[in-house]
Amino acid sequence: MAMIKYPTGQGSKKNLKEESSTNFGRRGMSLEKMINLSNKHYLNLGIAVVHKKPTPIQIVKVDYPNRSHARITEAFFRQPSTTDYNGVYKGYYLDFEAKETTRATYLPLDNFHEHQIHHMEQCLKQKGICFVIVSFVKLNRFFMLNASQVIKYWNLQTKNGRKSIPVEIFETHGYEFKPSSLPLIPYIDYVDAIIAKESK
Amino acid sequence: MAMIKYPTGQGSKKNLKEESSTNFGRRGMSLEKMINLSNKHYLNLGIAVVHKKPTPIQIVKVDYPNRSHARITEAFFRQPSTTDYNGVYKGYYLDFEAKETTRATYLPLDNFHEHQIHHMEQCLKQKGICFVIVSFVKLNRFFMLNASQVIKYWNLQTKNGRKSIPVEIFETHGYEFKPSSLPLIPYIDYVDAIIAKESK
């Protein structure tokens, strides 16, 4: 697997900078933190079981200073082969990815890795509910969008050269929400909307 | 989170030892390796999308020797808060854990952590399909068993002091299989059986 500079969701300098600019009464909370709190909220209330997957690490060296502890002394971040979050809600399989962007009019597609797109395609084929949660940091706008739209724009890249998803697509096909009370990221509302639409 | 000695599925000395004793034409393949190959098989054929979750690591120190690489120089294994495997099959949420034991007549319950049991309970409540895959290394016998049985025996511990699941429970309530051709661990067969039983 390829080594990468900054893994998704890792507390990198870039993310810390973005966090400080999303401080709208949420004390500079990152999108990841907001989702983790929402997961916890849904879990505690018995509404859904969703966890963030651990960051994949390539371990090179491990020391055993004593019998009770293993200490990793050399390791690297690996590129995740799936999305960051998955779980179960009323028997439905949920799968999503979170992205923050400082762009005001579009989400650059280089926020995604090819295998993440491929994973979303595979999940949709297995009738999983798969979507992205996007924070337009400078606009203070939050959206959820079905993975099928992301895949569509990903595939358009090779055809028309467009390397982003316009914010208008989020406005017309997505689900906009304002993080206020818990759950800050009310993704189950969006999932309910998808289920209602699909069962029509 | 608590630091642990050997994380599940990590290439610890204990696991390597167990691997060499499970060499029955599978070239000393560990149960984890067999499951990973089975996941890949199901994925390649478009049958199911199941991945092993990365081992959770607590990162303490990271070096940036140059702009393109981050090198972790101090980290520790954390205890997983969920099971190791989950994914989607025909819209169903799948969740399972794999355990190897050298015991011949029972699976010791200390193979599980309390939060893993709790996670399985939560998944079952959300109508997920949740089970364990167990390899009795010395017997060369392999079973799948619904998580509800594991939870039952876990809860019995405090009542009758029994700290294990007898192999008879696997024989009467589980699904026995012989790893031969791909998929070595045919867990989708077991999932189909669970679905058929539940839809009756």
Side-chain angles (χ1 to χ4, degrees), chain B residues 177-191:
Chain B
F177 63 96
K178 292 274 172 211
S180 53
S181 56
L182 274 174
L184 289 167
I185 311 291
Y187 58 81
I188 290 298
D189 295 354
Y190 182 53
V191 169

PDB file of all heavy atoms in Angstrom, chain B residues 177-191:
ATOM      1  N   PHE B 177     -17.557 -26.344   9.345  1.00  0.00           N
ATOM      2  CA  PHE B 177     -17.114 -26.384   7.949  1.00  0.00           C
ATOM      3  C   PHE B 177     -15.654 -26.789   7.893  1.00  0.00           C
ATOM      4  O   PHE B 177     -14.913 -26.639   8.866  1.00  0.00           O
ATOM      5  CB  PHE B 177     -17.329 -25.024   7.277  1.00  0.00           C
ATOM      6  CG  PHE B 177     -16.526 -23.917   7.907  1.00  0.00           C
ATOM      7  CD1 PHE B 177     -15.304 -23.531   7.373  1.00  0.00           C
ATOM      8  CD2 PHE B 177     -16.977 -23.285   9.048  1.00  0.00           C
ATOM      9  CE1 PHE B 177     -14.555 -22.525   7.964  1.00  0.00           C
ATOM     10  CE2 PHE B 177     -16.230 -22.277   9.649  1.00  0.00           C
ATOM     11  CZ  PHE B 177     -15.020 -21.903   9.106  1.00  0.00           C
ATOM     12  N   LYS B 178     -15.255 -27.315   6.735  1.00  0.00           N
ATOM     13  CA  LYS B 178     -13.855 -27.692   6.499  1.00  0.00           C
ATOM     14  C   LYS B 178     -13.281 -26.743   5.459  1.00  0.00           C
ATOM     15  O   LYS B 178     -13.778 -26.711   4.330  1.00  0.00           O
ATOM     16  CB  LYS B 178     -13.769 -29.123   5.950  1.00  0.00           C
ATOM     17  CG  LYS B 178     -14.173 -30.193   6.924  1.00  0.00           C
ATOM     18  CD  LYS B 178     -13.014 -30.602   7.802  1.00  0.00           C
ATOM     19  CE  LYS B 178     -13.466 -31.547   8.920  1.00  0.00           C
ATOM     20  NZ  LYS B 178     -12.657 -31.411  10.141  1.00  0.00           N
ATOM     21  N   PRO B 179     -12.262 -25.967   5.802  1.00  0.00           N
ATOM     22  CA  PRO B 179     -11.654 -25.103   4.787  1.00  0.00           C
ATOM     23  C   PRO B 179     -10.978 -25.970   3.723  1.00  0.00           C
ATOM     24  O   PRO B 179     -10.121 -26.778   4.043  1.00  0.00           O
ATOM     25  CB  PRO B 179     -10.599 -24.315   5.569  1.00  0.00           C
ATOM     26  CG  PRO B 179     -10.995 -24.455   7.007  1.00  0.00           C
ATOM     27  CD  PRO B 179     -11.632 -25.818   7.111  1.00  0.00           C
ATOM     28  N   SER B 180     -11.429 -25.860   2.480  1.00  0.00           N
ATOM     29  CA  SER B 180     -10.795 -26.643   1.415  1.00  0.00           C
ATOM     30  C   SER B 180     -10.464 -25.728   0.238  1.00  0.00           C
ATOM     31  O   SER B 180      -9.354 -25.241   0.120  1.00  0.00           O
ATOM     32  CB  SER B 180     -11.707 -27.792   0.997  1.00  0.00           C
ATOM     33  OG  SER B 180     -12.991 -27.309   0.675  1.00  0.00           O
ATOM     34  N   SER B 181     -11.455 -25.423  -0.581  1.00  0.00           N
ATOM     35  CA  SER B 181     -11.212 -24.495  -1.686  1.00  0.00           C
ATOM     36  C   SER B 181     -11.701 -23.098  -1.292  1.00  0.00           C
ATOM     37  O   SER B 181     -12.317 -22.919  -0.247  1.00  0.00           O
ATOM     38  CB  SER B 181     -11.947 -24.997  -2.919  1.00  0.00           C
ATOM     39  OG  SER B 181     -13.317 -25.140  -2.605  1.00  0.00           O
ATOM     40  N   LEU B 182     -11.448 -22.132  -2.148  1.00  0.00           N
ATOM     41  CA  LEU B 182     -11.903 -20.766  -1.879  1.00  0.00           C
ATOM     42  C   LEU B 182     -13.418 -20.670  -1.982  1.00  0.00           C
ATOM     43  O   LEU B 182     -13.984 -21.272  -2.876  1.00  0.00           O
ATOM     44  CB  LEU B 182     -11.258 -19.788  -2.863  1.00  0.00           C
ATOM     45  CG  LEU B 182      -9.882 -19.269  -2.460  1.00  0.00           C
ATOM     46  CD1 LEU B 182      -9.281 -18.419  -3.575  1.00  0.00           C
ATOM     47  CD2 LEU B 182      -9.957 -18.452  -1.177  1.00  0.00           C
ATOM     48  N   PRO B 183     -14.092 -19.928  -1.149  1.00  0.00           N
ATOM     49  CA  PRO B 183     -13.540 -19.253   0.019  1.00  0.00           C
ATOM     50  C   PRO B 183     -13.243 -20.251   1.143  1.00  0.00           C
ATOM     51  O   PRO B 183     -14.112 -21.059   1.475  1.00  0.00           O
ATOM     52  CB  PRO B 183     -14.674 -18.311   0.424  1.00  0.00           C
ATOM     53  CG  PRO B 183     -15.907 -19.011  -0.028  1.00  0.00           C
ATOM     54  CD  PRO B 183     -15.540 -19.758  -1.271  1.00  0.00           C
ATOM     55  N   LEU B 184     -12.060 -20.165   1.711  1.00  0.00           N
ATOM     56  CA  LEU B 184     -11.672 -21.089   2.787  1.00  0.00           C
ATOM     57  C   LEU B 184     -12.642 -21.017   3.960  1.00  0.00           C
ATOM     58  O   LEU B 184     -12.955 -22.019   4.589  1.00  0.00           O
ATOM     59  CB  LEU B 184     -10.246 -20.774   3.252  1.00  0.00           C
ATOM     60  CG  LEU B 184      -9.138 -21.151   2.258  1.00  0.00           C
ATOM     61  CD1 LEU B 184      -7.808 -20.526   2.660  1.00  0.00           C
ATOM     62  CD2 LEU B 184      -8.989 -22.671   2.145  1.00  0.00           C
ATOM     63  N   ILE B 185     -13.080 -19.804   4.250  1.00  0.00           N
ATOM     64  CA  ILE B 185     -14.066 -19.607   5.335  1.00  0.00           C
ATOM     65  C   ILE B 185     -15.378 -19.169   4.676  1.00  0.00           C
ATOM     66  O   ILE B 185     -15.579 -17.975   4.441  1.00  0.00           O
ATOM     67  CB  ILE B 185     -13.573 -18.532   6.337  1.00  0.00           C
ATOM     68  CG1 ILE B 185     -12.126 -18.796   6.785  1.00  0.00           C
ATOM     69  CG2 ILE B 185     -14.512 -18.438   7.542  1.00  0.00           C
ATOM     70  CD1 ILE B 185     -11.908 -20.005   7.658  1.00  0.00           C
ATOM     71  N   PRO B 186     -16.247 -20.122   4.363  1.00  0.00           N
ATOM     72  CA  PRO B 186     -17.454 -19.803   3.573  1.00  0.00           C
ATOM     73  C   PRO B 186     -18.561 -19.182   4.424  1.00  0.00           C
ATOM     74  O   PRO B 186     -19.646 -19.729   4.566  1.00  0.00           O
ATOM     75  CB  PRO B 186     -17.866 -21.169   3.021  1.00  0.00           C
ATOM     76  CG  PRO B 186     -17.420 -22.132   4.077  1.00  0.00           C
ATOM     77  CD  PRO B 186     -16.193 -21.541   4.733  1.00  0.00           C
ATOM     78  N   TYR B 187     -18.255 -18.002   4.967  1.00  0.00           N
ATOM     79  CA  TYR B 187     -19.207 -17.428   5.935  1.00  0.00           C
ATOM     80  C   TYR B 187     -20.518 -16.991   5.303  1.00  0.00           C
ATOM     81  O   TYR B 187     -21.527 -16.901   5.999  1.00  0.00           O
ATOM     82  CB  TYR B 187     -18.556 -16.291   6.741  1.00  0.00           C
ATOM     83  CG  TYR B 187     -18.012 -15.131   5.954  1.00  0.00           C
ATOM     84  CD1 TYR B 187     -18.839 -14.119   5.498  1.00  0.00           C
ATOM     85  CD2 TYR B 187     -16.652 -15.032   5.692  1.00  0.00           C
ATOM     86  CE1 TYR B 187     -18.327 -13.045   4.796  1.00  0.00           C
ATOM     87  CE2 TYR B 187     -16.127 -13.968   4.993  1.00  0.00           C
ATOM     88  CZ  TYR B 187     -16.955 -12.966   4.537  1.00  0.00           C
ATOM     89  OH  TYR B 187     -16.453 -11.906   3.843  1.00  0.00           O
ATOM     90  N   ILE B 188     -20.507 -16.749   3.987  1.00  0.00           N
ATOM     91  CA  ILE B 188     -21.775 -16.350   3.353  1.00  0.00           C
ATOM     92  C   ILE B 188     -22.787 -17.500   3.375  1.00  0.00           C
ATOM     93  O   ILE B 188     -23.994 -17.268   3.493  1.00  0.00           O
ATOM     94  CB  ILE B 188     -21.528 -15.806   1.922  1.00  0.00           C
ATOM     95  CG1 ILE B 188     -20.813 -14.448   1.975  1.00  0.00           C
ATOM     96  CG2 ILE B 188     -22.841 -15.681   1.125  1.00  0.00           C
ATOM     97  CD1 ILE B 188     -21.575 -13.323   2.663  1.00  0.00           C
ATOM     98  N   ASP B 189     -22.302 -18.736   3.317  1.00  0.00           N
ATOM     99  CA  ASP B 189     -23.205 -19.895   3.456  1.00  0.00           C
ATOM    100  C   ASP B 189     -23.926 -19.849   4.806  1.00  0.00           C
ATOM    101  O   ASP B 189     -25.132 -20.104   4.892  1.00  0.00           O
ATOM    102  CB  ASP B 189     -22.414 -21.218   3.374  1.00  0.00           C
ATOM    103  CG  ASP B 189     -21.782 -21.422   2.007  1.00  0.00           C
ATOM    104  OD1 ASP B 189     -22.048 -20.608   1.092  1.00  0.00           O
ATOM    105  OD2 ASP B 189     -20.997 -22.383   1.858  1.00  0.00           O
ATOM    106  N   TYR B 190     -23.147 -19.521   5.833  1.00  0.00           N
ATOM    107  CA  TYR B 190     -23.729 -19.438   7.172  1.00  0.00           C
ATOM    108  C   TYR B 190     -24.711 -18.266   7.259  1.00  0.00           C
ATOM    109  O   TYR B 190     -25.798 -18.400   7.840  1.00  0.00           O
ATOM    110  CB  TYR B 190     -22.607 -19.283   8.203  1.00  0.00           C
ATOM    111  CG  TYR B 190     -23.092 -19.225   9.639  1.00  0.00           C
ATOM    112  CD1 TYR B 190     -23.920 -20.210  10.156  1.00  0.00           C
ATOM    113  CD2 TYR B 190     -22.704 -18.186  10.478  1.00  0.00           C
ATOM    114  CE1 TYR B 190     -24.363 -20.159  11.467  1.00  0.00           C
ATOM    115  CE2 TYR B 190     -23.147 -18.122  11.791  1.00  0.00           C
ATOM    116  CZ  TYR B 190     -23.970 -19.107  12.283  1.00  0.00           C
ATOM    117  OH  TYR B 190     -24.420 -19.057  13.575  1.00  0.00           O
ATOM    118  N   VAL B 191     -24.347 -17.144   6.664  1.00  0.00           N
ATOM    119  CA  VAL B 191     -25.226 -15.967   6.663  1.00  0.00           C
ATOM    120  C   VAL B 191     -26.539 -16.302   5.955  1.00  0.00           C
ATOM    121  O   VAL B 191     -27.623 -15.955   6.442  1.00  0.00           O
ATOM    122  CB  VAL B 191     -24.518 -14.763   5.993  1.00  0.00           C
ATOM    123  CG1 VAL B 191     -25.501 -13.624   5.738  1.00  0.00           C
ATOM    124  CG2 VAL B 191     -23.354 -14.284   6.862  1.00  0.00           C
TER     125      VAL B 191
END
